[in-house]
Amino acid sequence: ERNAELAARVAELDAVLDQMGDGVLIADADGEFVRVNAAAERIYGRPLAGVPTARWTEVMQLRATSGRPLAVDDLPLRRALRERRVVEGAEWTAQRPDGARIRIAGTAAPLYDGGELAGAVLVFRDVTERVRLVERAQEATAMKTRFFAQMSHELRTPINAILGYGNLIADGLAGEIPPPALQMVERIRRSGRHLLELVNDVLDISRLEAGKVSVEPTDFDLVELARDTMTTV
């Protein structure tokens, strides 16, 4: 009856492992791989039950994310056994039979039975697409930053020209101008300064995203800001 009960539990465990979407690899206390679920074989793209532990890294062409070849003892499962601790956030790459190289992330943990080290388990998944999306997002962010920097530079030049000529006209260097025209020139200058501040703000946003600018709160005259806004609008 005890054997039948154990067999039923093993069958139940096998069914659970085979239904999991993540790959699962189990090693005994000696570090030999004794159980591989179906998801692990789907991730690596090959049957793994008959692969000897010593040839694991050779068959799958396992590499560190830096490209360095991995030895069997470098694998998270072996490290969890050797160091008797949970190894979290481990990442490595593998080569599938079709030649495609995938990136894998997983966590390994030691298994104990009555206080004695009985083995270790590794749960992992294919994160190749996630890494690609992150790289694309980083490329897009870098392109946006370059665009903002170039755009800000190109916009500053004509704005500074408008402000410069507006100052010359307001100072009377082009001749006397009637008061109504002077008021219009002043509005042009004020709008030009506001536009220049907006351009600088756009550039500051890209600098903030890059972590190159710190926010420095300052006091300002709220009434003056309201008056300037009303005059502009």
Side-chain angles (χ1 to χ4, degrees):
E1 290 177 357
R2 181 60 175 167
N3 288 338
E5 181 182 350
L6 290 175
R9 290 185 178 181
V10 170
E12 181 180 356
L13 175 62
D14 288 344
V16 170
L17 291 178
D18 287 337
Q19 292 300 317
M20 290 181 62
D22 290 345
V24 177
L25 180 61
I26 300 175
D28 59 20
D30 296 325
E32 294 296 316
F33 302 155
V34 296
R35 181 70 169 87
V36 180
N37 73 341
E41 296 187 337
R42 288 196 301 269
I43 291 172
Y44 282 114
R46 69 183 78 224
L48 300 173
V51 179
T53 303
R55 298 192 60 237
W56 192 270
T57 59
E58 175 189 348
V59 171
M60 264 76 71
Q61 293 292 305
L62 302 186
R63 300 282 188 273
T65 54
S66 63
R68 173 181 60 85
L70 291 177
V72 174
D73 287 337
D74 295 331
L75 300 180
L77 203 57
R78 285 289 186 91
R79 288 172 52 199
L81 277 172
R82 183 172 62 251
E83 301 170 12
R84 298 199 174 196
R85 68 176 183 87
V86 176
V87 178
E88 293 184 294
E91 293 196 18
W92 64 97
T93 66
Q95 184 170 309
R96 294 170 61 93
D98 60 3
R101 183 154 287 275
I102 60 174
R103 185 155 173 162
I104 301 170
T107 296
L111 300 174
Y112 293 92
D113 183 11
E116 295 293 328
L117 184 65
V121 60
L122 170 69
V123 180
F124 59 95
R125 63 180 53 186
D126 184 351
V127 295
T128 307
E129 187 60 27
R130 185 200 70 184
V131 172
R132 287 175 182 167
L133 291 175
V134 170
E135 290 175 348
R136 289 174 186 172
Q138 291 173 341
E139 291 175 359
T141 300
M143 291 177 61
K144 182 182 69 174
T145 300
R146 291 194 298 269
F147 169 75
F148 279 156
Q150 185 69 21
M151 179 196 69
S152 300
H153 173 73
E154 295 297 335
L155 289 178
R156 277 199 188 97
T157 301
I159 293 174
N160 286 326
I162 292 171
L163 291 175
Y165 282 111
N167 292 335
L168 293 177
I169 295 173
D171 292 340
L173 296 181
E176 293 294 330
I177 59 174
L182 186 59
Q183 291 179 2
M184 294 180 182
V185 171
E186 180 57 32
R187 291 184 181 180
I188 292 174
R189 294 170 61 194
R190 185 172 299 166
S191 297
R193 288 193 297 268
H194 179 59
L195 183 57
L196 185 59
E197 290 173 359
L198 291 177
V199 172
N200 291 333
D201 288 344
V202 170
L203 186 58
D204 284 343
I205 289 174
S206 61
R207 289 175 178 169
L208 282 169
E209 291 178 344
K212 297 180 180 179
V213 175
S214 58
V215 178
E216 298 180 359
T218 58
D219 295 333
F220 66 95
D221 190 333
L222 182 59
V223 175
E224 182 180 355
L225 175 62
R227 286 173 178 166
D228 288 345
T229 303
M230 292 298 295
T231 301
T232 302
V233 175

